[in-house]
C-alpha cells in the first residue's frame, strides 16, 4: 500500500489502554486495517515447536508443568540427539512449516557440551532453509553471538506478564533478567520473539502494561506470541478459569495496532478454541500459529498439523512459505 500506519516506540499507557478498551468490533476493524497495511492477510506462518529437553527445570513459574518442584505427569527427557532434532525439522518443513523452534527446559544456558550440541542443531536446521528459533532460558551476549554465528534467526524469551505482576508468578528470576536476555539477543543481531500469557490471574492493566513494555522497546519484537494459559494439573494455576476467546482477540488486536510490523502469534490455548474462534483471532491480526508433532505444544495439547491445514483451507488462508524480514 502507499501509506502505512506509522511505527511508534513512544506509546503511553493511556494510549494503549484506550485502544484496548475500544468496543470489540471497532477494535477488530482497526486491527484488521493495520494488518492489511503491513502484511498479506491471506498468509499465516506455520511454526513448529519442539521440546529438545523436557522437564526438570529449577524455576518456579506457576504456570509451567516442567518445573521440577511441581508434581505433574510430565516426564523428564534429556537433550535429544542432534540427528533426531534434524529429522523433526525436516518433517516440519515437509508439512508446511517455515519456522522451527527448539525449546529446552533450562533456567539459563551454560557453556558446556549440551550447548555445543544445540549449536550443531541450529546449524543443521538452518541448512534446511528454515527460520531457526530457540528458547533456552537466560542468555549472555557471548552465548547469543555463538547462536547467531551458527545461523539462529530468532530467540524466544517471553515477558510472561507485566513487571508489576511478575513476582506473583515467578520468584526464581526477575523481570529485569528477562529484559537483559532480550537486550543480549538484540546486541547479537538475532531477531526477538517475546510476548506473554493471559489467564494467570492478572488484571487488564497488567496486560496493557506488558504490551507497553514490548511496544516501547527501541525496536519492537519481530515476533509477539499471545498465549492463553494452558492449565496443567499439579501446577499452582491448574484451577484458573479458561481464558475467554474475546480476551484473546482483544489482546491480539491491541498488539497488532501498537506493533504493526511484528508477527503476532496465536500460541498456546488453541486446543480449547473452535475454528470459528481462531478465525476471529486471524481477523484481529494474528498471522502465525504454532504446531507440534504428536498434537502437543511442548508438553500441552495442541491441534494437529492436518487439522490446522484443514482450518486454513476452510478460511481461505495459506501457509507463509518464504522468509519475511519481520520474522
Amino acid at each position: 500500500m502507499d501509506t502505512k500506519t506509522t511505527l511508534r516506540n513512544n506509546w503511553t499507557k493511556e494510549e494503549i489502554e484506550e485502544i484496548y478498551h475500544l468496543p470489540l468490533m471497532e477494535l477488530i476493524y482497526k486491527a484488521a486495517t493495520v494488518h492489511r497495511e503491513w502484511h498479506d492477510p491471506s498468509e499465516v506462518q506455520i511454526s513448529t515447536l519442539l521440546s529438545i529437553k523436557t522437564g526438570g527445570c529449577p524455576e518456579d513459574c506457576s504456570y509451567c508443568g516442567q518445573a521440577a518442584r511441581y508434581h505433574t505427569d510430565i516426564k523428564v527427557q534429556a537433550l535429544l540427539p542432534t540427528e533426531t532434532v534434524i529429522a523433526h525439522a525436516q518433517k516440519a518443513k515437509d508439512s508446511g512449516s517455515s519456522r522451527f523452534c527448539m525449546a529446552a527446559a533450562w533456567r539459563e544456558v551454560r557453556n558446556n557440551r549440551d550447548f555445543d550440541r544445540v549449536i550443531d542443531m541450529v546449524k543443521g536446521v538452518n541448512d534446511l532453509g528454515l527460520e531457526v528459533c530457540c528458547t533456552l532460558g537466560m542468555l549472555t551476549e557471548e552465548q547469543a553471538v555463538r547462536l547467531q554465528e551458527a545461523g539462529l534467526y530468532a530467540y524466544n524469551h517471553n515477558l510472561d506478564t507485566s513487571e508489576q505482576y511478575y513476582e506473583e508468578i515467578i520468584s526464581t528470576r526477575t523481570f529485569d533478567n528477562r529484559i537483559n536476555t532480550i537486550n543480549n539477543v538484540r546486541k547479537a543481531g538475532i531477531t526477538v520473539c517475546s510476548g506473554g500469557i493471559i489467564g494467570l490471574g492478572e488484571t487488564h492493566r497488567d496486560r496493557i502494561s506488558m504490551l507497553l513494555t514490548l511496544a516501547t522497546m527501541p525496536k519492537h519484537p519481530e515476533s509477539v506470541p499471545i498465549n492463553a494459559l494452558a492449565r496443567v494439573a499439579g501446577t499452582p494455576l491448574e484451577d484458573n478459569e479458561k481464558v475467554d476467546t474475546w480476551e484473546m482477540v482483544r489482546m491480539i488486536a491491541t498488539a497488532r495496532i501498537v506493533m504493526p510490523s511484528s508477527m503476532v502469534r496465536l500460541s498456546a490455548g488453541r486446543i480449547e478454541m473452535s475454528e470459528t474462534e481462531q478465525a476471529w483471532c486471524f481477523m484481529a491480526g494474528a498471522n502465525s500459529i504454532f504446531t507440534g508433532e504428536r498434537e502437543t505444544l511442548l508438553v500441552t495439547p495442541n491441534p494437529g498439523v492436518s487439522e490446522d491445514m484443514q482450518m486454513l483451507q476452510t478460511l481461505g488462508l495459506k501457509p507463509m512459505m518464504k522468509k519475511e524480514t519481520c520474522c
Side-chain angles (χ1 to χ4, degrees):
M1 286 195 175
D2 293 332
T3 60
K4 287 184 178 181
T5 303
T6 303
L7 280 177
R8 292 180 51 193
N9 304 82
N10 62 344
W11 291 96
T12 67
K13 192 168 188 176
E14 291 72 26
E15 287 174 321
I16 298 179
E17 196 165 18
E18 183 177 352
I19 294 168
Y20 182 90
H21 288 297
L22 282 170
L24 188 61
M25 298 308 291
E26 178 68 14
L27 175 61
I28 293 171
Y29 175 75
K30 286 182 179 294
T33 301
V34 171
H35 184 59
R36 281 155 176 75
E37 291 173 356
W38 285 86
H39 305 273
D40 182 345
S42 70
E43 289 189 340
V44 174
Q45 186 177 45
I46 309 299
S47 305
T48 296
L49 179 61
L50 176 69
S51 179
I52 60 173
K53 186 272 178 183
T54 305
C57 182
E59 302 261 38
D60 67 351
C61 307
S62 300
Y63 54 81
C64 185
Q66 299 196 68
R69 68 191 66 202
Y70 305 138
H71 300 289
T72 68
D73 293 329
I74 295 167
K75 295 180 181 178
V76 175
Q77 168 195 282
L79 189 66
L80 292 175
T82 302
E83 57 271 21
T84 300
V85 173
I86 304 304
H88 279 289
Q90 182 64 62
K91 185 174 181 179
K93 181 179 180 180
D94 294 343
S95 299
S97 290
S98 59
R99 183 183 184 106
F100 189 77
C101 188
M102 297 174 281
W106 292 334
R107 167 179 164 77
E108 59 198 348
V109 173
R110 298 186 184 278
N111 295 314
N112 55 23
R113 283 181 294 179
D114 280 350
F115 187 41
D116 292 340
R117 289 171 59 193
V118 171
I119 293 294
D120 289 338
M121 293 174 192
V122 170
K123 291 177 180 177
V125 175
N126 186 57
D127 287 344
L128 295 178
L130 291 162
E131 291 181 2
V132 195
C133 178
C134 281
T135 178
L136 313 169
M138 292 185 287
L139 198 67
T140 67
E141 186 178 348
E142 292 74 22
Q143 290 164 341
V145 168
R146 282 195 67 192
L147 288 165
Q148 190 276 334
E149 290 174 344
L152 191 71
Y153 184 75
Y155 196 82
N156 168 259
H157 204 63
N158 289 331
L159 298 182
D160 288 345
T161 188
S162 71
E163 183 174 8
Q164 295 77 18
Y165 192 64
Y166 190 84
E167 291 182 358
E168 298 296 321
I169 302 300
I170 304 161
S171 70
T172 48
R173 74 168 94 170
T174 66
F175 192 81
D176 283 344
N177 288 150
R178 293 199 179 263
I179 297 297
N180 288 340
T181 291
I182 291 171
N183 290 340
N184 290 337
V185 168
R186 273 279 178 239
K187 291 174 187 175
I190 300 170
T191 65
V192 171
C193 177
S194 186
I197 308 169
I198 66 173
L200 304 175
E202 77 287 345
T203 64
H204 290 290
R205 290 186 67 83
D206 286 316
R207 297 174 187 176
I208 291 162
S209 179
M210 182 187 74
L211 290 176
L212 177 68
T213 299
L214 296 169
T216 55
M217 288 179 174
K219 185 176 182 181
H220 295 159
E222 286 82 358
S223 177
V224 181
I226 303 296
N227 299 273
L229 172 68
R231 295 160 294 171
V232 179
T235 64
L237 303 184
E238 65 176 316
D239 294 324
N240 280 27
E241 292 184 4
K242 174 184 176 294
V243 173
D244 183 81
T245 298
W246 298 120
E247 295 294 304
M248 282 289 284
V249 170
R250 191 171 289 280
M251 277 292 288
I252 287 168
T254 306
R256 169 55 64 218
I257 291 169
V258 300
M259 292 174 281
S261 68
S262 302
M263 297 291 287
V264 177
R265 302 185 185 278
L266 173 58
S267 302
R270 288 197 303 119
I271 193 67
E272 295 190 90
M273 298 173 70
S274 68
E275 192 174 272
T276 303
E277 290 171 324
Q278 291 180 71
W280 276 107
C281 293
F282 296 131
M283 179 62 73
N287 57 347
S288 177
I289 55 175
F290 282 101
T291 187
E293 289 188 37
R294 308 185 193 95
E295 300 186 353
T296 60
L297 192 66
L298 293 183
V299 294
T300 57
N302 194 65
V305 177
S306 59
E307 185 180 344
D308 283 337
M309 290 302 182
Q310 181 59 55
M311 174 182 67
L312 295 186
Q313 184 177 353
T314 299
L315 298 177
L317 301 172
K318 59 189 178 184
M320 182 185 296
M321 298 305 293
K322 60 182 180 179
K323 288 186 177 182
E324 299 289 345
T325 56
C326 62
C327 186

